[in-house]
Amino acid sequence: MLFGCGSVAQAVLSKGALGEPLTIHVGFTLGVMMAVYIAGGVSGGHVNPAVSLAMVILGKLPLKKFPVYVAAQFLGAFAGSCAVFGLYYDALREFTNGEFAVTGANATAGIFASYPAKHLSVINGFVDQVIATAALVLCILAITDRKNIGAPKGMEPLCIGLIILAIGVSMGLNCGYPINPARDLGPRLFTAVAGWGMDVFRAGGCWWWIPVAGPMVGGAVGAGIYFLIIDLHQPESDRQVDNNVQDKYEIVTMN
């Protein structure tokens, strides 16, 4: 959140002088990569509820851990928003003249959470999040699957970060690829209490629930596709080996 939303803040508050879409993609890519490196040895790097749900569905994460991980993910995203707000507080005040807006020429709520483009309908937005998150989960499962080609040990976070970059440069037009309920709702809750008000939930035709529900559905879809198309066709001996190496599947990611 610090690197990702920080890169958005730098681009917005400098009016493009110190940032652009590519720098934002790089910020989120490196932020996710570092987050998985930092937390990988403790939790397996779980920073996205949608990916954690996929691991539960596939039996790679115990169900009892799921609510604990999700709570930590939301708290982490909220805390990251606080850090970005504190880092850029003076710049925010100068840019907005002290009035934090959700829409309009001086809108800054989009620094923290996603909002739909003008052309985007609710249905298309939901489909956008399902497809992008399913792609994320499919790639993560392939990278961490020891029965597949996989990634070299210790390189998984780098590869996962590159997934975020690929999604950002190909699926960011509609709503900025939130693909993570914690990454979107946590900061949105922060902006609601930090001065932007309840408009953060009303904007975009009550858009807020799309980047929460859509990724969860996408995570389940991605898990189902990988299981049906890839996992079921692995040799039985490889599946037996995989039962002893489930920890590697717990390396997951955030946008």
Side-chain angles (χ1 to χ4, degrees):
M1 292 304 301
L2 179 62
F3 295 136
C5 290
S7 66
V8 180
Q10 182 165 286
V12 171
L13 299 179
S14 70
K15 297 182 179 179
L18 297 175
E20 59 181 354
L22 183 58
T23 63
I24 294 170
H25 300 329
V26 172
F28 275 109
T29 294
L30 296 178
V32 168
M33 182 178 72
M34 290 298 107
V36 179
Y37 269 122
I38 291 168
V42 178
S43 69
H46 280 258
V47 292
N48 186 333
V51 184
S52 296
L53 175 63
M55 298 302 174
V56 170
I57 291 172
L58 294 174
K60 309 302 180 183
L61 176 70
L63 180 60
K64 65 181 180 181
K65 289 186 177 182
F66 180 67
V68 178
Y69 280 22
V70 170
Q73 290 155 1
F74 275 95
L75 287 173
F78 190 94
S81 301
C82 294
V84 173
F85 183 77
L87 179 66
Y88 284 111
Y89 180 76
D90 287 345
L92 277 165
R93 298 285 295 183
E94 180 181 25
F95 184 87
T96 63
N97 293 319
E99 296 183 8
F100 297 153
V102 178
T103 59
N106 291 328
T108 48
I111 289 173
F112 300 92
S114 71
Y115 293 88
K118 292 182 179 179
H119 68 265
L120 192 65
S121 66
V122 170
I123 294 175
N124 196 180
F126 189 86
V127 171
D128 173 286
Q129 287 303 283
V130 171
I131 292 174
T133 310
L136 172 67
V137 168
L138 277 169
C139 293
I140 289 175
L141 289 172
I143 288 169
T144 59
D145 188 352
R146 291 188 178 181
K147 307 184 303 298
N148 210 325
I149 295 175
K153 183 175 176 58
M155 295 295 289
E156 299 94 342
L158 172 60
C159 294
I160 290 171
L162 291 176
I163 302 170
I164 301 302
L165 180 60
I167 291 173
V169 299
S170 62
M171 307 182 201
L173 173 65
N174 286 333
C175 56
Y177 64 102
I179 60 175
N180 183 333
R183 172 261 175 277
D184 200 82
L185 184 57
R188 197 179 302 275
L189 288 169
F190 170 78
T191 54
V193 301
W196 283 265
M198 296 305 292
D199 280 347
V200 299
F201 293 102
R202 291 188 287 263
C206 295
W207 162 262
W208 70 270
W209 68 273
I210 300 292
V212 176
M216 298 303 281
V217 174
V221 169
I225 291 174
Y226 193 86
F227 178 75
L228 292 173
I229 304 301
I230 303 298
D231 209 30
L232 277 181
H233 304 283
Q234 302 279 7
E236 185 62 31
S237 59
D238 288 345
R239 283 203 289 266
Q240 289 293 339
V241 170
D242 184 56
N243 289 334
N244 298 321
V245 294
Q246 291 184 2
D247 287 346
K248 190 173 182 183
Y249 276 91
E250 292 192 358
I251 298 178
V252 299
T253 188
M254 131 179 235
N255 156 323

